């Protein structure tokens, strides 16, 4: 689908009348048509990954100007590999990350991993860039590495972080003895390799300046001889004229204290990073790399965290920062891009969520995304020279011209008087009163909901439900005082806010108190269950997808991984492990419960749902558990998501007597 507009004369686009969706579970359950998208260095080509049947993924390339048929390059069947992202390393060659899940290595737990492959735009000439694993390796490196620098101007070459694993070969003098994370310069066609940074057993992060110079290294502190990461990261930097590493900063992943660098600007000779200010909110700072380490606040917001940088082009130039109040907003440091952003907002008045996805190497052509709460999003190519905007792709063509619901930012009072931010979605055309309603807490818990298209909220609204998504205490983005000790250790505040969301819906007359339910995914699933422990009579039905149900078991499941101490510190110890675990308090739950889980879930093991189902059954409150074979935490399968939505709607209609 291609539509070209002149930016300077673009009039508002008027869509045809919105219509109801014929098969809501299938339309809303379908995966996004664009899973990943990128622009070639010259700006002539676009590469995009799209879903196929089941978990499969397919890579296509197409001319950015339109008028050509997309070329199928390569596919992954999802059993167990799937494509997760692809970026251009030259005008005709790409690097793709392949994600996979395997079993039978760690007891009762699947293992995920990645490998990086280079290939031509037509799928030929594939070469493995990750270091090969073999039977003589002393341990498994499940991570396949990452591109550190796309090396603008160096056609077909990249800097890549790769893990070296030592070998043990009896009677051989050619075994690999190097160990740790290194940086190599690799030619993606010949595989000629030059080591740029030697392997460091403690290194886990390298940051380049976009010009081939590694300027920052992060090393992870290991707790004694345990092999477990302590959560403390030590960063080092180089000046322009030296190869020596100098101390830069320290960062604690447990407490978020310290400075965490994320990018280097070679022109200004500074590093950008994030740290907490005196009010406990995250701000963006710059630190001089000339030896002085002079630090300046680049941008801070008085109410919310500044959570990410805006980058553009092959060199990943930092051009701004983003934050979310009621809506996601951006501040640009680049005056030309700021002016362009304002022009695009005027040109696309119904699509206020505009973001720069990628660009040509000279930044003359930009790949953009634009969307809203009632538009799942569409992709454009903007040509600065001709000032034309070319619509190239829809994010969810199944919902084009569909009747979608508006999302409204609201606040409600918690029991202790705190004002909780939330988003309310009402069924299109409804009175907004006396409706069946869902409270839908987000996952994380170190996350937050934002204004924009949400396929779950939109599906339930299309079925006649009011949906309230609370950013309960424990959510990120609002500073330390709102985050508290996170949604597990401060579960009483978090779950109290979730329950107060339901009470607000009833008090406002939006929800019929006998038709109030709760739905959640991941931590949201935990909240959906624990909400019924805290107040058994409030919700009349609960649906939990991939939920955490037993905190002690969650800690135990990380025992074989290097982040065990991080998980243990995050969840904490003490009475809340029992008091805050739905499975340990299943006898208090009286509402009917529906559980969904993929049996290859790497985030929350499936035994969390199995424990919950067993405990409910033992308490005399049977729950239905639907298991999706070979699927992970996100149920990356349109058919499975369609089935989940269809089953959920039927379950809720029966439980709420609709």
């Amino acid at each position: 689908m291609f539509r070209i507009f002149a930016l300077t004369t673009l009039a508002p686009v008027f869509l045809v009348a919105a219509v109801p969706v014929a098969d809501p579970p299938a339309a809303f359950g379908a995966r996004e048509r664009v899973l990943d998208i990128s622009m070639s260095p010259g700006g002539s080509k676009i590469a995009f990954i799209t879903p196929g049947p089941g978990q499969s993924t397919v890579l296509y390339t197409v001319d950015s100007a339109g008028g050509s048929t997309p070329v199928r390059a390569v596919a992954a069947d999802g059993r167990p590999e799937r494509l997760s992202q692809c970026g251009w390393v030259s005008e005709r060659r790409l690097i793709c990350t392949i994600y996979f899940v395997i079993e039978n290595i760690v007891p009762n737990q699947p293992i995920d991993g990645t490998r990086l492959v280079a290939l031509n735009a037509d799928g030929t000439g594939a070469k493995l860039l990750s270091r090969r694993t073999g039977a003589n390796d002393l341990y498994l490196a499940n991570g396949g590495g990452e591109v550190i620098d796309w090396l603008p101007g160096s056609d077909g070459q990249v800097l890549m972080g790769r893990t070296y694993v030592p070998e043990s070969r009896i009677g051989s003098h050619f075994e690999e003895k190097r160990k740790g994370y290194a940086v190599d310069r690799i030619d993606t066609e010949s595989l000629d390799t030059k080591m740029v940074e030697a392997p460091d057993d403690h290194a886990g992060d390298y940051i380049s300046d976009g010009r081939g110079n590694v300027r920052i290294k992060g090393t992870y502190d290991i707790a004694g001889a345990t092999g477990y990461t302590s959560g403390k990261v030590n960063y080092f930097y180089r000046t322009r004229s030296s190869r020596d590493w100098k101390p830069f900063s320290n960062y604690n992943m447990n407490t978020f204290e310290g400075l965490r660098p994320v990018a280097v600007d070679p022109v200004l000779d500074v590093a950008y990073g994030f740290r907490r200010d005196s009010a406990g909110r995250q701000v963006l700072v710059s630190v001089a790399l000339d030896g002085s380490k002079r630090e300046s606040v680049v941008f801070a917001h008085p109410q919310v965290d500044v959570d990410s940088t805006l980058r553009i082009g092959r060199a990943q130039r930092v051009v701004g920062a983003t934050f979310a109040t009621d809506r996601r907003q951006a501040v640009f440091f680049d005056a030309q891009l700021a002016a362009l952003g304002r022009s695009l907002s005027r040109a696309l008045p119904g699509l206020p969520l505009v973001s720069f996805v990628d660009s040509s190497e000279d930044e003359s052509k930009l790949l953009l995304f634009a969307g809203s709460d009632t538009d799942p999003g569409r992709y454009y190519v903007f040509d600065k020279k001709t000032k034309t905007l070319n619509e190239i792709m829809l994010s969810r063509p199944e919902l084009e011209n569909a009747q979608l619901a508006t999302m409204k930012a609201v606040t409600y009072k918690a029991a202790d008087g705190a004002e909780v931010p939330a988003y309310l979605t009402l069924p299109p055309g409804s009175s907004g009163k006396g409706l069946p309603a869902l409270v839908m807490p987000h996952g994380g818990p170190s996350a937050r909901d934002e204004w924009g298209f949400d396929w779950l909220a939109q599906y339930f609204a299309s079925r006649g439900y009011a949906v309230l998504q609370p950013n309960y205490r424990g959510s990120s983005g609002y500073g330390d005082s709102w985050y508290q000790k996170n949604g597990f250790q401060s579960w009483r505040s978090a779950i109290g806010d979730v329950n107060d969301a339901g009470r607000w819906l009833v008090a406002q007359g939006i929800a019929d108190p006998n038709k109030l339910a709760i739905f959640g995914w991941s931590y949201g699933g935990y909240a959906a269950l624990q909400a019924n422990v805290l107040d058994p009579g409030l919700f009349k039905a609960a649906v939990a997808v991939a939920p955490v149900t037993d905190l002690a078991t969650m800690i135990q499941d990380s025992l074989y991984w290097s982040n065990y101490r991080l998980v243990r510190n995050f969840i904490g110890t003490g009475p809340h492990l029992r008091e805050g675990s739905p499975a340990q308090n299943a006898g208090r739950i009286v509402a009917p419960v529906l559980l969904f889980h993929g049996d290859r879930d790497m985030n929350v093991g499936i035994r969390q749902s199995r424990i919950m189902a067993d405990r409910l059954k033992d308490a005399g409150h049977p729950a239905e558990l639907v298991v999706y074979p070979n699927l992970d935490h996100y149920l990356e399968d349109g058919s499975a998501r369609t089935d989940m939505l269809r089953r959920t709607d039927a379950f809720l209609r029966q439980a709420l007597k609709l």
Side-chain angles (χ1 to χ4, degrees):
M1 180 178 185
F2 294 88
R3 293 189 289 193
I4 300 178
F5 310 108
L7 183 63
T8 54
T9 61
L10 181 62
V13 179
F14 296 97
L15 300 178
V16 300
V19 296
V21 177
D23 185 358
F28 289 100
R31 287 191 286 167
E32 286 184 74
R33 189 63 57 93
V34 180
L35 302 175
D36 182 73
I37 190 167
S38 60
M39 176 176 277
S40 65
S44 66
K45 298 281 187 181
I46 297 292
F48 64 96
I49 300 173
T50 193
Q55 288 192 93
S56 66
T57 45
V58 187
L59 171 67
Y60 287 94
T61 60
V62 67
D63 291 343
S64 64
S68 65
T69 301
V71 175
R72 185 180 187 273
V74 69
D77 64 10
R79 303 189 301 269
E81 299 92 358
R82 64 177 184 257
L83 298 164
S84 63
Q85 60 185 56
C86 292
W88 294 87
V89 69
S90 70
E91 202 63 20
R92 70 180 191 90
R93 197 159 174 79
L94 299 108
I95 294 177
C96 292
T97 300
I98 300 173
Y99 173 82
F100 61 86
V101 178
I102 54 178
E103 297 184 80
N104 301 321
I105 293 181
V106 175
N108 301 314
Q109 292 188 46
I111 290 179
D112 63 350
T114 59
R115 293 294 182 265
L116 270 65
V117 175
L119 69 159
N120 295 328
D122 62 1
T124 62
K127 300 284 181 70
L128 178 68
L129 300 182
S130 302
R131 287 189 56 80
R132 294 184 179 274
T133 57
N136 297 309
D137 290 355
L138 293 181
Y139 53 84
L140 174 68
N142 52 325
E146 60 182 330
V147 175
I148 302 297
D149 194 321
W150 292 92
L151 297 178
S154 300
D155 199 35
Q157 297 187 14
V158 293
L159 291 188
M160 183 174 162
R162 303 198 298 178
T163 299
Y164 281 73
V165 178
E167 298 175 326
S168 178
R169 299 184 189 179
I170 298 176
S172 172
H173 296 288
F174 299 100
E175 63 185 15
E176 177 64 72
K177 295 184 181 297
R178 292 171 295 186
K179 179 183 180 182
Y181 198 46
V183 178
D184 294 331
R185 185 180 181 119
I186 303 175
D187 186 297
T188 63
E189 293 196 70
S190 68
L191 296 186
D192 288 343
T193 301
K194 177 184 177 182
M195 184 172 287
V196 174
E197 300 294 335
D200 184 332
D201 196 25
H202 290 278
D205 190 18
Y206 291 100
I207 301 176
S208 171
D209 63 359
R211 297 180 176 180
N213 305 302
V214 179
R215 300 291 302 276
I216 291 179
K217 176 172 73 170
T219 63
Y220 289 76
D221 181 60
I222 304 300
T226 65
Y228 296 131
T229 302
S230 71
K232 297 177 181 179
V233 189
N234 303 307
Y235 288 101
F236 302 87
Y237 80 104
R238 287 180 174 134
T239 62
R240 279 175 173 165
S241 59
S242 174
R243 292 282 301 170
D244 296 334
W245 289 114
K246 303 177 183 296
F248 180 77
S249 68
N250 305 109
Y251 182 72
N252 191 315
M253 293 187 289
N254 297 304
T255 63
F256 311 119
E257 295 174 324
L259 172 62
R260 175 174 58 90
V262 295
V264 170
D265 187 317
V267 176
L268 300 177
D269 197 24
V270 300
Y272 291 104
F274 293 100
R275 71 156 69 249
R276 289 303 205 249
D277 64 10
S278 58
R281 282 183 288 271
Q282 184 168 272
V283 302
L284 180 66
V285 302
S286 67
V287 180
L289 299 180
D290 59 3
S292 69
K293 290 174 56 177
R294 182 177 60 258
E295 183 175 321
S296 303
V297 175
V298 178
F299 184 73
H301 193 278
Q303 282 87 41
V304 296
D305 293 341
V306 180
D307 52 27
S308 64
T309 56
L310 289 170
R311 306 189 196 188
I312 195 170
R314 192 174 170 84
Q316 288 292 282
R317 182 169 69 95
V318 175
V319 296
T322 69
F323 58 93
T325 51
D326 289 347
R327 297 188 182 188
R328 172 65 52 178
Q329 300 179 60
V331 56
F332 288 96
F333 312 145
D334 183 290
Q336 289 186 344
L337 285 176
L340 176 58
R342 291 190 294 270
S343 297
L344 289 168
S345 296
R346 291 192 296 269
L348 301 168
L351 303 170
L353 298 179
V354 179
S355 59
F356 297 98
V357 178
D358 203 356
S359 78
S360 59
E361 190 166 310
D362 63 3
E363 299 182 17
S364 64
K365 292 183 179 179
L366 302 175
L367 179 61
L368 311 172
F369 171 86
S372 72
D373 56 341
T374 56
D375 190 313
R378 48 198 75 218
Y379 291 87
Y380 297 87
V381 170
F382 175 65
D383 190 316
K384 287 184 179 179
K385 296 176 182 177
T386 61
K387 291 187 170 61
T388 54
L389 196 61
N390 177 7
E391 183 185 305
I392 60 170
M393 216 165 297
L394 296 175
S395 179
R396 292 179 179 268
E398 299 88 353
L399 298 175
E400 180 75 338
N401 301 326
Q403 187 178 28
L404 298 178
T406 58
M407 176 185 280
K408 178 184 177 182
V410 298
T411 59
Y412 64 89
K413 281 190 182 293
D416 62 1
E419 293 284 345
V420 182
Y423 295 97
L424 176 65
T425 304
L426 297 176
S430 73
S431 66
K433 298 296 181 181
L435 299 171
L438 285 176
V439 173
M440 197 164 75
H442 62 74
S446 302
R448 57 158 291 173
D449 276 318
E450 294 187 24
W451 185 87
F453 177 83
D454 185 303
W455 64 278
L456 286 168
Q458 288 289 345
Y459 169 72
F460 290 120
S462 78
R463 303 302 294 152
Y465 300 91
V467 181
L468 186 64
Q469 298 170 264
N471 280 325
Y472 48 83
R473 277 170 285 191
S475 301
S476 60
Y478 297 94
D480 291 345
S481 62
W482 194 258
Y483 182 77
Q484 297 190 352
K485 293 182 179 179
N486 75 54
F488 287 124
Q489 296 192 48
S490 302
W491 73 268
R492 289 188 183 277
S493 293
I495 304 304
D497 289 351
V498 170
N499 284 350
D500 286 335
R503 297 186 185 101
W504 180 82
L505 284 170
V506 172
Q508 294 295 309
I510 298 170
D512 181 331
N514 295 313
K515 295 178 173 57
L516 180 64
I518 186 166
F519 177 102
W521 198 316
S522 193
Y523 180 89
Y526 164 85
L529 297 169
Q530 190 65 8
N532 281 274
V533 171
L534 195 62
D535 188 344
L538 181 61
F539 298 105
K540 311 310 177 187
V543 181
V545 185
V548 175
T549 69
D550 189 276
L551 300 183
T553 300
M554 193 72 180
I555 295 173
Q556 183 183 6
D557 285 346
S558 67
L559 188 62
Y560 292 98
W561 303 94
S562 61
N563 68 342
Y564 166 72
R565 287 172 63 100
L566 292 178
V567 174
R568 186 190 65 188
N569 291 339
F570 183 79
I571 294 177
T573 58
H576 76 279
L577 292 184
R578 179 184 58 79
E579 297 167 355
S581 292
Q584 297 291 333
N585 299 276
R588 289 183 53 80
I589 298 176
V590 296
V593 173
L594 176 60
L595 303 163
F596 296 97
H597 221 123
D599 68 0
R600 285 191 171 181
D601 193 327
M602 293 297 305
N603 297 58
V604 180
I606 189 174
R607 73 168 171 156
Q608 291 281 328
S609 280
R610 287 178 171 151
I611 290 171
M612 191 73 217
D614 289 343
R615 296 290 174 81
L616 285 168
K617 181 180 178 181
D618 292 342
H621 304 298
E624 181 182 1
L625 170 58
V626 179
V627 177
Y628 293 111
N630 302 316
L631 294 188
D632 65 10
H633 190 67
Y634 305 100
L635 303 182
E636 295 279 2
D637 182 327
S639 297
R641 289 184 175 184
T642 298
D643 179 73
M644 180 193 72
L645 294 179
R646 206 179 301 278
R647 286 174 182 262
T648 298
D649 187 42
F651 168 78
L652 292 174
R653 291 186 182 281
Q654 181 179 10
L656 303 180
K657 299 179 173 59
L658 300 181

